[in-house]
Amino acid sequence: MLLAGVVFTSCGKSARVASPDCNTTVKVTLENGAPYYSVVKNGKPVVNPSQLGFLLNDKTPFNGDFTIKKVQRASFDETWEQTWGEERYARNHYNELTVELQETNGAQRLLNIVFRVFNDGIGFRYVFPEQPNLQDFEITEELTEFAFPDDYEAWSISAYKVKYFEGIYAKAPISKLDTVSTPVTIETDGGYLAIHEANLTDYAKMNVYPVAGTTTLKSDLTPWSTGVKVYAETPFATPWRTLIIADDLNQLATSRIMLNLNEPCKIEDASWIKPMKFIGVWWGMHILEYTWGQGVKHGATTKNVMRYIDFAAANNIPGVLVEGWNEGWDGVWQNNGELYKFTTPYPDFDMPKVAAYAAQKGVEIIGHHETGANTIGYEQQMEASYDYYKKLGIDAVKTGYVSRLLDKKERHGSQYGVRHYRKAIETAARYQIMIDNHEPVMPTGLQRTYPNLMTQEGIRGQEWDAYNSSNPPEHTTVLPFTRILAGPADFTFGTFKLTNMGPEKTRVNSTLAKQLALYVVLYSPLQMVSDMPENYEGKPEFEFIRIVPVDWDTTIIKDGKIGDYVVTARKDRHSTDWFVGAITNEIGRDIQVDFSFLDPNKKYTAKIFKDAPDANWETNPYPVIIEEKEINADSVIDLTLASGGGAAIWLKAE
Ligand code: NOJ
């Protein structure tokens, strides 16, 4: 709801806007015609005066010689319901300032900068209005800076040295960072900042790098192969640049600024969109027990997929992912998509029979399109391949773009890539198909507008544990405060056979109890049950995976330290039950969990799945103790998390 009407303020050299709680203020100034912004919270500088603007065609500056033509203000407060999410309702509450700039001389071009100031951070974007002297243009650089007052420690992954954002987040002082991908999470004196972006629609993904010898991070847009960053035409708006300003980890991880800066849902009837858990003919390929292509070890045979369907139906797992079902996997694995055919099943996979069997058992098949990063070929087959699945009753598809460059030329995070991913989501929405996008561009909250974009990879997931390059135990304690700030991730935990996997004898660096806890700690509305059915048979711990939900009413980070441990509590969206997940890095630790978040008028039975006293990720990952306790809002329990371990709690309301 728009609270205050638009207010026109007279021109000057600066303008200010404060957050609804008045604690955070953004000031925009012109210094010799160049726009700068700064941010102060509770009287302390958060961002010192920082440059704004662009270099356009052939590096012509578009960042100086400006005057403020007009300033507009607005306020907004609305609570909206998420189609699915970490919480049911999100509050979108901000004060807005639009600074309309015009060049004094020459072409007198126009540029508007819009700031939204929330209680937990800010967002700003550039708008290029329709104008006579700026129509088609190229962005050679975006000059946006974030000048931090100190050389704080920041968590990040390299933008260009890491493929598909599958990196291990490391901590380093701002001034020592490489060119890094956002989200970048900064630890300040007692608080947290996170730089990212929202609503990346027709633009290049933003990275940031330190201006040499300073604590200023500057925008770096992922280029096209031509070196140009963005091709645009007025009227044109950039994505929002976002900065979460949080007092604690709970505020950091539950900030909804990114979602609020995306457009409301464009899918009128979203009732076909269903968060779910899924098992898949998948892990077997990664640990070399199955193959994607045909042969004696082919995973996606009619018989084997029917076995997975039986297991899913018997165990409250709504979906079964089927990879390696279609022609095209027998050549070079990363074949740039020349051979993949999305409407031609392998002869040993009877697609209509399997689809009918799944329907009869009430199980959803999740289809698979590995494109090998051939987006041109995929776009040619896109309508036909969604239509093919839809006619078989399949309404979820995992897409993949394995290869360093899209179409052997362009980066995944370039404007070229961003346009392709958007096209796939919008086309899939027309066919009522949900998407799990692997090798994506880093997410920016598009799921608010298109909630059929369920989850994405763009994370160093558990599949790396199959390749002799396992993730260290610390990794999962960093992700809720870095990558997951950008949205849901298809991390694929739930592995029960943790050691000696496949001929390579690889391992998952986790205890079994931690595998359970990750269902609460790392959010995704499509959540994988990653192991093969035979590894779950007869395991009492599997009960937790059977019952844990994937769609939440409320989320609270109860406790934690980035890189050390995390305790997360979430309330199920469809019942009165709560769930708690606690995980630690390689250091075992004793923690206390209080249950003050529970309904004080209810009693709960807690079923606790925790590391046995002798459990240890390295030497003894399997022992889990399962116990029941009566719990209420006044209860406090002690838990010992093993080295690389965790605990998962199901709180069933009586
Ligand atoms: C990489 C994906 O991350 C993985 O999940 C998938 O199985 C393979 N590509 C094949 O598409």
Side-chain angles (χ1 to χ4, degrees):
M1 179 201 332
L2 198 64
L3 288 183
V6 174
V7 178
F8 297 92
T9 315
S10 59
C11 322
K13 288 235 160 110
S14 70
R16 269 174 214 270
V17 57
S19 55
D21 65 6
C22 294
N23 291 338
T24 306
T25 308
V26 170
K27 185 176 174 198
V28 183
T29 52
L30 284 183
E31 304 299 332
N32 300 322
Y36 286 79
Y37 76 102
S38 56
V39 187
V40 171
K41 184 168 180 185
N42 295 327
K44 278 207 207 145
V46 177
V47 180
N48 285 334
S50 298
Q51 202 186 173
L52 295 162
F54 296 90
L55 300 184
L56 299 187
N57 314 337
D58 301 323
K59 302 208 169 163
T60 53
F62 192 40
N63 70 323
D65 183 33
F66 283 120
T67 50
I68 298 180
K69 210 170 70 129
K70 188 152 83 181
V71 167
Q72 300 196 45
R73 292 169 189 282
S75 298
F76 192 80
D77 189 4
E78 176 194 63
T79 297
W80 56 280
E81 185 172 5
Q82 301 206 51
T83 307
W84 44 258
E86 292 184 86
E87 61 189 1
R88 182 164 181 181
Y89 296 105
R91 187 170 178 194
N92 186 9
H93 190 196
Y94 61 81
N95 290 328
E96 181 179 281
L97 172 77
T98 304
V99 180
E100 299 189 7
L101 302 173
Q102 180 160 30
E103 289 174 320
T104 325
N105 300 300
Q108 303 197 330
R109 294 171 300 179
L110 306 169
L111 178 66
N112 299 345
I113 311 176
V114 186
F115 283 86
R116 289 190 182 166
V117 186
F118 303 80
N119 290 343
D120 56 353
I122 68 162
F124 59 94
R125 80 181 331 175
Y126 301 91
V127 177
F128 297 76
E130 208 168 349
Q131 50 191 298
N133 293 330
L134 190 63
Q135 281 144 17
D136 290 343
F137 65 101
E138 292 168 7
I139 295 177
T140 356
E141 289 307 338
E142 181 183 316
L143 301 172
T144 306
E145 288 180 347
F146 301 84
F148 295 107
D150 212 337
D151 203 5
Y152 302 126
E153 298 278 324
W155 292 90
S156 67
I157 52 169
S158 168
Y160 296 104
K161 294 180 191 139
V162 165
K163 264 200 286 183
Y164 326 127
F165 315 108
E166 295 181 22
I168 296 191
Y169 285 78
K171 188 158 89 160
I174 290 172
S175 64
K176 302 273 175 336
L177 295 179
D178 191 6
T179 300
V180 296
S181 195
T182 66
V184 175
T185 301
I186 296 167
E187 297 186 2
T188 60
D189 314 318
Y192 302 90
L193 305 171
I195 303 176
H196 190 41
E197 59 183 323
N199 199 348
L200 174 56
T201 299
D202 187 13
Y203 205 76
K205 187 211 174 298
M206 181 179 77
N207 310 302
V208 291
Y209 66 96
V211 176
T214 74
T215 55
T216 295
L217 292 177
K218 186 161 183 153
S219 151
D220 159 87
L221 299 180
T222 309
W224 287 72
S225 53
T226 56
V228 170
K229 305 295 171 51
V230 174
Y231 294 95
E233 192 186 325
T234 54
F236 185 79
T238 70
W240 294 89
R241 278 66 192 89
T242 57
L243 182 71
I244 299 173
I245 308 170
D247 298 331
D248 55 35
L249 286 179
N250 183 51
Q251 209 180 17
L252 174 72
T254 61
S255 168
R256 301 293 165 230
I257 289 180
M258 180 188 70
L259 286 176
N260 284 330
L261 291 171
N262 275 270
E263 288 161 33
C265 184
K266 285 194 176 157
I267 298 175
E268 232 164 80
D269 172 13
S271 57
W272 52 275
I273 297 175
K274 295 178 289 268
M276 62 178 150
K277 285 171 280 189
F278 65 102
I279 190 164
V281 177
W282 176 80
W283 188 234
M285 279 85 103
H286 290 272
I287 59 172
L288 309 179
E289 290 198 18
Y290 295 154
T291 55
W292 278 276
Q294 292 216 98
V296 284
K297 294 203 317 186
H298 187 210
T301 62
T302 308
K303 191 170 163 219
N304 198 29
V305 175
M306 284 167 78
R307 180 174 77 96
Y308 273 70
I309 293 169
D310 287 339
F311 179 83
N315 287 288
N316 190 29
I317 311 291
V320 172
L321 165 71
V322 185
E323 293 199 8
W325 65 278
N326 58 320
E327 297 275 356
W329 290 91
D330 301 299
V332 189
W333 194 85
Q334 292 179 29
N335 60 14
N336 276 306
E338 274 121 17
L339 304 169
Y340 293 110
K341 304 223 171 26
F342 300 128
T343 52
T344 318
Y346 275 131
D348 60 356
F349 182 63
D350 186 338
M351 177 60 107
K353 181 175 171 182
V354 168
Y357 188 69
Q360 179 205 327
K361 292 266 178 169
V363 169
E364 298 269 352
I365 295 288
I366 299 180
H368 186 231
H369 293 160
E370 173 54 66
T371 69
N374 178 349
T375 70
I376 297 169
Y378 189 36
E379 289 192 16
Q380 280 160 2
Q381 294 189 61
M382 199 175 263
E383 302 269 347
S385 53
Y386 293 155
D387 188 51
Y388 172 80
Y389 268 147
K390 200 65 205 180
K391 288 200 172 116
L392 289 158
I394 295 171
D395 46 22
V397 178
K398 172 174 165 181
T399 55
Y401 297 86
V402 175
S403 204
R404 207 173 60 80
L405 296 172
L406 301 177
D407 304 311
K408 300 183 178 161
K409 210 169 169 197
E410 306 294 347
R411 294 190 159 89
H412 291 60
S414 65
Q415 184 184 25
Y416 180 87
V418 168
R419 283 178 176 167
H420 169 76
Y421 293 118
R422 174 64 61 116
K423 181 169 182 170
I425 302 306
E426 292 185 8
T427 310
R430 272 197 282 114
Y431 285 90
Q432 302 202 328
I433 290 213
M434 294 174 268
I435 295 289
D436 170 359
N437 184 179
H438 277 230
E439 297 83 30
V441 61
M442 182 62 78
T444 62
L446 176 60
Q447 72 268 25
R448 178 177 180 195
T449 316
Y450 287 102
N452 64 313
L453 173 55
M454 305 297 287
T455 193
Q456 314 207 47
E457 197 180 33
I459 194 164
R460 198 178 199 276
Q462 206 159 288
E463 68 187 28
W464 282 80
D465 298 356
Y467 319 141
N468 261 330
S469 44
S470 304
N471 294 312
E474 172 190 285
H475 186 50
T476 40
T477 67
V478 179
L479 294 172
F481 310 110
T482 52
R483 161 61 181 83
I484 307 272
L485 299 180
D490 193 16
F491 190 86
T492 64
F493 33 76
T495 310
F496 268 36
K497 187 174 183 325
L498 295 158
T499 48
N500 287 327
M501 300 169 318
E504 304 267 315
K505 306 282 179 224
T506 52
R507 65 169 303 147
V508 179
N509 296 335
S510 157
T511 66
L512 186 54
K514 182 171 177 179
Q515 289 294 297
L516 306 180
L518 287 169
Y519 283 89
V520 186
V521 175
L522 297 184
Y523 171 67
S524 176
L526 287 185
Q527 197 70 276
M528 195 164 199
V529 177
S530 60
D531 215 330
M532 299 160 76
E534 52 271 39
N535 293 332
Y536 296 124
E537 296 295 357
K539 301 275 166 51
E541 297 86 354
F542 191 59
E543 184 190 7
F544 188 81
I545 297 186
R546 257 189 238 123
I547 49 96
V548 69
V550 290
D551 194 15
W552 305 101
D553 176 89
T554 311
T555 290
I556 305 168
I557 305 296
K558 285 292 293 170
D559 197 1
K561 184 165 188 300
I562 306 178
D564 287 4
Y565 72 106
V566 190
V567 184
T568 306
R570 303 196 200 252
K571 179 166 183 270
D572 181 16
R573 177 149 169 182
H574 305 284
S575 77
T576 45
D577 293 0
W578 280 82
F579 291 79
V580 175
I583 60 167
T584 180
N585 60 6
E586 64 286 349
I587 299 169
R589 67 189 76 228
D590 295 327
I591 59 165
Q592 273 200 335
V593 182
D594 75 72
F595 294 89
S596 50
F597 52 84
L598 294 175
D599 181 339
N601 302 314
K602 283 194 163 68
K603 282 195 198 145
Y604 297 78
T605 305
K607 193 152 193 181
I608 304 171
F609 300 74
K610 61 180 188 185
D611 294 317
D614 56 346
N616 175 298
W617 71 273
E618 210 169 2
T619 54
N620 193 24
Y622 294 108
V624 173
I625 291 179
I626 305 174
E627 62 183 20
E628 284 197 357
K629 269 199 171 117
E630 294 305 305
I631 294 278
N632 61 40
D634 298 324
S635 308
V636 178
I637 61 167
D638 295 314
L639 284 174
T640 299
L641 310 179
S643 160
I649 308 177
W650 168 27
L651 292 144
K652 193 166 176 42
E654 281 169 13

